[in-house]
């Protein structure tokens, strides 16, 4: 019932808005950058709607429940990244005339190999970012609506692919802008309602946390993945017939899929290797990753990944190409910072209330669902059901808005950058990309959404951030330097993640740098790119390209052929081949 009430309207409105883009979609730029005619206000709302993913709408509050107040550094990094993008990337990228990041890479350095490497990086980032979106869609519907996990994953994949096939970027822009204000409303109103309903005792406990050590009432927990619990003396289970069975003290291996009920008053087990919500240091201002005892290093690692990663996210960069000019791209970035700042004022409310009302979610690793689980804990009647439905609708809107941009950029990398094709091939690539992500998300329900998204940010920080910053601001960048730096950044970041999956026996600062490699992977990529470039010679058109990227459009239009300047790559026809499009960008840069 809640599923139909919450999800069906969101999916229906998404599809109806997607129909708006059908009639206007005839060219490559129509599909990928909405003909570059999106106003700053609409574009900033769309960027914000796209950026507020499952990791933001649900994940930040879930991280606060699990890791404490220090988790709020994540939204600080997410938002601050737009300031760096505003200062360094937004306007020059728009002036380049490229449609995608690989477009810019090849046009700036005239290297098809660099273009293909950049397209591979786009697919890696998109995969790391998309799987958590679809995974959380399945998880939320399974918790709230008692639906099988795969139902939410398949619904998300179908809605995203149909919307993009119908309307491309234009449809995605309208959907994301609408869903931003929709999510903002559905996040603020339930937060205010929860604060007024919980009573003064819960508010006091939320502000002065006490470690979660006992169950206040009979509590049902479903372990969707295998976990190891440390059982204290006196712990017990309530059997289906109502009797209470003591648990043996010590480690307890719980298989995935098991559901148990802990009786009221029983001591709560601890998750092996984790500190219970509200435990010592829960209110610390810094983020102590993996309980290693290096909170400053852990916080700086997260900030480096999220701030620099935002500058290199391909689906965000593609949004700035939809602006009419560089000045509009900068205005879009400024408005985006303002809109995101309003949204991020509220996740901490859900986090601190979740620690008091649903702390047991950390046992099953389902803290991502704390936001949608809270209303039913406060009111078991109609109002609780109503607000659970509203938050579920907002969460599903978050999955769809972010997934639209990511599937679009992934299909562009396949059908525009790796294998040049037309409109039909782009639509086929959209369906293919969504299908692959659904297949990857089905077995991925045990992965933490926040971890995978942070990995996506780290890959973007270690690859596209150096390429864009040096490509825009340093004329000495060469093809070997760019290829070497991007390759090293990609191998360093993905290699660290892969090693982390095998749980190597490391601790302390080394464990942090392995789990969050941005502090060393990003400087390494910058250093390799610069050192290798110093041994070569930049392209002869590098100085002219710098002027083109940084001069105001109105100024250089006075010295250029007006007819040539007015002709933008974005208005090329679908029949134009990708290679000729890149040549036009290159001519534009060197003119």
């Amino acid at each position: 019932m809640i599923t139909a009430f919450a999800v069906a309207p969101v999916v229906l409105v998404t599809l109806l808005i997607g129909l708006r883009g059908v009639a206007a979609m005839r060219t490559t730029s129509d599909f990928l950058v909405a003909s570059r005619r999106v106003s700053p206000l609409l574009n900033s709302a769309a960027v914000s709607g796209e950026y507020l993913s499952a990791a933001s709408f649900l994940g930040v509050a879930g991280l606060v429940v699990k890791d404490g107040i220090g988790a709020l550094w994540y939204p600080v990094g997410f938002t601050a990244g737009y300031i760096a993008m505003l200062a360094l990337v937004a306007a020059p990228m728009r002036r380049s005339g490229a449609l995608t990041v690989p477009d810019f890479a090849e046009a700036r350095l005239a290297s098809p190999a660099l273009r293909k490497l950049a397209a591979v990086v786009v697919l890696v980032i998109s995969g790391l970012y998309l799987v958590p979106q679809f995974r959380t869609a399945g998880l939320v519907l399974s918790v709230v609506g008692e639906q099988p996990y795969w139902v939410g994953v398949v619904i998300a994949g179908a809605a995203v692919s149909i919307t993009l096939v119908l309307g491309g970027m234009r449809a995605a822009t309208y959907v994301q802008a609408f869903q931003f204000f929709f999510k903002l409303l559905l996040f603020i109103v339930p937060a205010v309602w929860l604060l007024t309903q919980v009573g003064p005792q819960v508010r006091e406990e939320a502000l002065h946390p006490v470690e979660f050590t006992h169950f206040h009432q009979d509590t049902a927990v479903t372990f969707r993945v295998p976990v190891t619990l440390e059982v204290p003396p006196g712990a017990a289970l309530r059997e289906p017939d109502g009797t209470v069975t003591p648990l043996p003290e010590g480690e307890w291996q719980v298989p995935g899929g098991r559901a148990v009920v802990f009786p009221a008053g029983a001591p709560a087990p601890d998750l092996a290797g984790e500190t219970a919500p509200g435990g010592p240091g829960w209110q610390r201002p810094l983020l102590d990753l993996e309980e290693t005892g290096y909170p400053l290093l852990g916080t700086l690692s997260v900030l480096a990944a999220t701030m620099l990663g935002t500058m290199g996210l391909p689906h965000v960069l593609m949004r700035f190409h939809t602006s009419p000019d560089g000045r509009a791209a900068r205005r879009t970035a400024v408005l985006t910072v303002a809109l995101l700042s309003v949204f991020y004022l509220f996740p901490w409310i859900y986090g601190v209330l979740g620690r008091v009302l649903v702390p047991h979610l950390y046992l099953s690793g389902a803290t991502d669902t704390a936001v949608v689980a809270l209303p039913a804990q406060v009111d078991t009647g109609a109002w609780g059901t109503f607000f659970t439905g509203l938050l579920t609708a907002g969460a599903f809107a978050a999955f769809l808005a972010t997934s639209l941009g990511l599937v679009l950029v992934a299909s562009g990398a396949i059908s525009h950058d790796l294998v040049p094709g037309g409109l039909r091939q782009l639509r086929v690539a959209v369906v293919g990309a969504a299908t692959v992500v659904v297949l990857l998300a089905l077995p991925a329900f045990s992965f933490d959404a926040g971890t995978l998204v942070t990995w996506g940010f780290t890959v973007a920080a270690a690859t596209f951030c150096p390429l864009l910053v040096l490509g825009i601001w340093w004329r000495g960048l060469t093809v070997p330097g760019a290829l070497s730096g991007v390759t090293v950044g990609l191998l360093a970041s993905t290699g660290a993640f892969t090693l982390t999956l095998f749980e190597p026996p490391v601790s302390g600062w080394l464990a942090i740098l392995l789990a969050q490699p941005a502090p060393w992977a990003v400087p390494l990529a910058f250093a390799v790119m610069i050192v290798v470039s110093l041994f070569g010679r930049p392209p002869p058109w590098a100085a002219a390209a710098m002027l083109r990227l940084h001069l105001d459009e109105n100024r250089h239009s006075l010295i250029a052929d007006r007819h040539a300047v007015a002709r933008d790559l974005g208005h090329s026809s679908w029949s134009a081949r990708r290679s000729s499009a890149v040549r036009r960008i290159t001519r534009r840069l060197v003119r």
Side-chain angles (χ1 to χ4, degrees):
M1 181 64 184
I2 292 180
T3 303
F5 164 70
V7 176
V10 174
V11 174
L12 182 61
V13 171
T14 299
L15 295 176
L16 289 176
I17 295 176
L19 291 174
R20 289 197 50 147
V22 176
M25 190 172 63
R26 299 186 184 87
T27 68
T28 304
S29 77
D30 289 335
F31 194 91
L32 292 178
V33 293
S35 305
R36 305 185 194 279
R37 294 173 183 171
V38 182
S39 68
L41 181 59
L42 178 62
N43 213 8
S44 60
V47 174
S48 303
E50 184 176 52
Y51 202 59
L52 296 181
S53 63
S56 294
F57 198 87
L58 302 178
V60 173
L63 286 171
V64 171
V65 173
K66 186 174 67 172
D67 296 332
I69 292 296
L72 293 177
W73 284 108
Y74 282 94
V76 171
F78 294 155
T79 309
Y82 276 96
I83 298 175
M85 180 178 285
L86 166 69
L88 299 174
V89 174
M93 277 294 289
R94 172 59 191 92
R95 292 186 189 116
S96 73
L99 293 176
T100 63
V101 176
D103 257 350
F104 171 81
E106 183 178 3
R108 171 67 178 81
L109 294 166
S111 169
L114 182 60
R115 180 194 191 94
K116 293 187 183 302
L117 178 60
V120 171
V121 174
V122 168
L123 293 178
V124 172
I125 297 170
S126 301
L128 288 171
Y129 217 134
L130 266 171
V131 170
Q133 310 305 317
F134 285 25
R135 170 256 185 201
T136 313
L139 186 61
V140 167
L141 288 194
S142 66
V143 170
V144 175
E146 306 246 341
Q147 303 291 329
Y149 169 77
W150 64 266
V151 171
V153 176
V154 172
I155 289 177
V160 167
S161 56
I162 292 173
T163 303
L164 287 178
V165 166
L166 289 175
M169 176 61 91
R170 192 180 303 276
T173 300
Y174 290 133
V175 170
Q176 290 163 346
F178 163 75
Q179 289 186 350
F180 169 72
F181 294 108
F182 185 64
K183 286 182 286 188
L184 193 62
L185 182 67
L186 297 189
F187 209 58
I188 294 176
V189 173
V192 175
W193 177 79
L194 285 169
L195 285 176
T196 59
Q197 295 296 310
V198 294
Q201 182 181 350
V202 172
R203 290 196 290 269
E204 178 70 16
E205 292 177 0
L207 295 176
H208 302 88
V210 178
E211 186 172 358
F212 171 54
T213 56
H214 289 75
F215 294 99
H216 294 297
Q217 58 188 0
D218 283 7
T219 304
V221 177
T222 299
F223 296 91
R224 301 178 187 281
V225 297
V227 298
T228 301
L229 299 181
E230 295 173 355
V231 180
L237 298 179
R238 187 176 295 285
E239 301 294 345
D241 60 1
T243 60
V244 175
T245 303
L247 278 172
E249 183 181 352
E251 283 197 352
W252 179 27
Q253 305 285 340
V254 186
R258 180 169 182 183
V260 301
V261 177
F262 294 99
D270 289 329
L271 198 61
E274 298 280 349
T275 300
W282 191 83
Q283 277 191 306
R284 59 187 169 237
L286 299 179
L287 186 63
D288 192 4
L289 293 175
E290 310 288 337
E291 307 294 334
T292 53
Y294 292 87
L296 181 59
L297 178 60
T299 304
L300 292 177
S301 300
V302 168
L303 282 175
T306 51
M307 285 185 62
L308 300 178
T310 297
M311 205 189 319
L313 288 179
H315 62 295
V316 173
L317 291 168
M318 182 181 278
R319 276 247 148 257
F320 288 100
H321 299 314
T322 64
S323 298
D325 52 37
R327 180 174 298 178
R330 280 205 172 108
R331 288 176 179 172
T332 297
V334 171
L335 289 171
T336 300
V337 172
L339 293 177
L340 290 179
S341 299
V342 173
F343 179 87
Y344 281 128
L345 291 176
F346 293 90
W348 72 272
I349 295 176
Y350 291 94
V352 297
L353 292 179
R355 191 214 62 79
V356 179
L357 298 173
V358 289
H360 57 276
L361 290 179
Y362 102 104
L363 291 176
S364 58
T367 52
D368 288 348
T369 62
V371 170
V372 295
L374 280 173
Q377 295 292 319
V378 175
D379 187 338
T380 56
W383 282 110
T385 304
F386 175 72
F387 280 104
T388 299
L390 289 186
L391 286 169
T392 304
F396 216 82
F399 313 142
L400 293 182
T402 303
S403 301
L404 283 170
L406 288 165
V407 171
L408 185 66
V409 79
S411 59
I414 296 170
S415 187
H416 182 69
D417 299 317
L418 287 177
V419 184
L423 183 58
R424 178 175 299 178
Q425 287 84 347
L426 263 172
R427 285 172 164 154
V428 171
V430 165
V431 177
T435 303
V436 170
V437 175
V438 167
L439 294 176
L440 291 174
L442 287 176
F445 61 88
S446 61
F447 283 91
D448 188 279
T451 300
L452 286 178
V453 170
T454 306
W455 286 0
F457 274 83
T458 303
V459 173
T463 53
F464 285 159
C465 175
L467 176 65
L468 294 177
V469 170
L470 294 180
I472 290 172
W473 294 96
W474 186 40
R475 65 178 294 275
L477 183 65
T478 65
V479 173
L483 283 170
S484 304
V486 173
T487 303
V488 167
L490 180 63
L491 293 178
S493 53
T494 55
F497 302 148
T498 305
L499 195 56
T500 302
L501 294 176
F502 291 98
E503 300 181 350
V506 296
S507 59
W509 61 269
L510 188 57
I512 293 178
L513 294 181
L514 206 56
Q516 296 288 344
W520 58 271
V522 178
L524 178 65
F526 266 105
V528 169
M529 212 172 277
I530 292 172
V531 170
V532 175
S533 294
L534 290 176
F535 286 94
R537 300 184 62 182
W541 62 82
M546 290 293 105
L547 288 175
R548 182 77 192 189
L549 291 172
H550 296 288
L551 283 179
D552 183 80
E553 286 90 341
N554 295 328
R555 184 175 174 183
H556 63 61
S557 66
L558 298 175
I559 59 176
D561 178 11
R562 291 186 178 183
H563 296 289
V565 171
R567 189 182 59 196
D568 192 326
L569 170 69
H571 301 287
S572 61
S573 69
W574 266 108
S575 60
R577 293 183 60 79
R578 188 209 70 200
S579 57
S580 61
V582 172
R583 284 197 295 272
R584 280 198 294 275
I585 301 174
T586 306
R587 285 200 298 271
R588 179 176 178 167
L589 288 175
V590 304
R591 182 181 293 121

